[in-house]
Amino acid sequence: MPPPAPDAAPPVNLNQLLTEATARLDAAALSYGHGTTNARDEAAWLVLWSLGLPLDTDPDVHAGTLDPAAVERALALIHRRIDTREPAAYLTGEAWLQGVPFHIDRRSIVPRSFIAELIADGSIDPWLSDRTHRVLDLCTGNGSLAVLAAMAWPDIEVCGADLSADALAVARLNVDRHGLQDRITLLESDGLAACPGPWDLILCNPPYVNARSMAVLPAEYRAEPELALAGGADGMDFIRRLLSDAPACLSPDGVLVLEIGNERAHFECAFPGLEVVWLPVSAGDDQVLLITREALTA
Ligand SMILES: C[S@@+](CC[C@H](N)C(=O)[O-])C[C@H]1O[C@@H](n2cnc3c(N)ncnc32)[C@H](O)[C@@H]1O
């Protein structure tokens, strides 16, 4: 057997590749928040996806030497992440929410709504009844909340609405991917204008980022459609119109579940005295709230 070439790369296993990829991401000082919160998890996502391995692969179990060409491809993907500063999901074309895979591309924001947690853990269920038949996912984006709602509540009909035809094209791929064409309709609508209801439940993760925060968004967030994020000076432009229009579009027992992220101060300033129920999620107790139709009309 000929001796190895003096400059041949040493054999690399999965653990070593992940350590190297993490170090390169760390050195690039990227922003996270589109499915992962740190360099190690982001490296694992990109490397395992590039190798065609499941995202829950245990590197200690998969300990063999990797094909050098596969190592090179994985590191090239890490460098695309660094050079473009695009969220990993745009590079892989896939994002996961509550264990469910979704197609994603730059036409729509990367799905990460905390409302998904509330659908999955049953927190919204006490507000529903046997009269809950029609659910609207307003600002549906890539359709992830509509899909999760249809999966969680098998007897309901869901409508996903969005102003963006591009986002709706992505939502269509996801509704079809999960075989939910008979349960979910998709609709182009500016707010509630084209979907008057009445709805028993409206889920809404709207654009709510205030102008000051928009001005300093990291590149990863600027890669997403501005329409999906920007909520005007105080982040409340869309929400003001929604809360004014919603009573006419909710059934008498209807409720609205609304994500507002870190905008509680702006929300309370815009709607003083409005009675809301905060629904705790992993990011905190004041990121998502529920409002009854009764409270909206009080
Ligand atoms: C924060 S994203 C949420 C997307 C998706 N529901 C999710 O959680 O991943 C907000 C969405 O609102 C849509 N949007 C913005 N303005 C709108 C309007 N006036 N009417 C309806 N949808 C709007 C955007 O196109 C975007 O898809």
Side-chain angles (χ1 to χ4, degrees), residues 5 12-13 37 50 52 63 88 90 102 106 108 158 168 182 190 196-197 226 229 236 289 295:
V12 170
N13 65 29
T37 56
S50 172
Y90 283 164
F102 293 99
R106 289 190 67 145
S108 173
V158 186
L168 287 169
D182 293 344
D190 183 0
E226 187 178 343
L229 297 171
M236 296 296 125
L289 54 89

Side-chain angles (χ1 to χ4, degrees), residues 97 107-114 137-145 161-164 167 189-192 204-208 225 227-230 238 241 259:
L97 203 56
R107 291 175 293 174
S108 173
I109 191 172
V110 177
R112 53 183 174 279
S113 173
F114 296 112
D137 173 20
L138 183 58
C139 299
T140 194
N142 85 332
S144 49
L145 295 180
D162 204 289
L163 180 60
S164 160
S189 179
D190 183 0
L192 288 162
C204 185
N205 177 23
Y208 56 67
L227 181 69
L229 297 171
F238 181 92
R241 223 176 92 211
E259 179 162 330

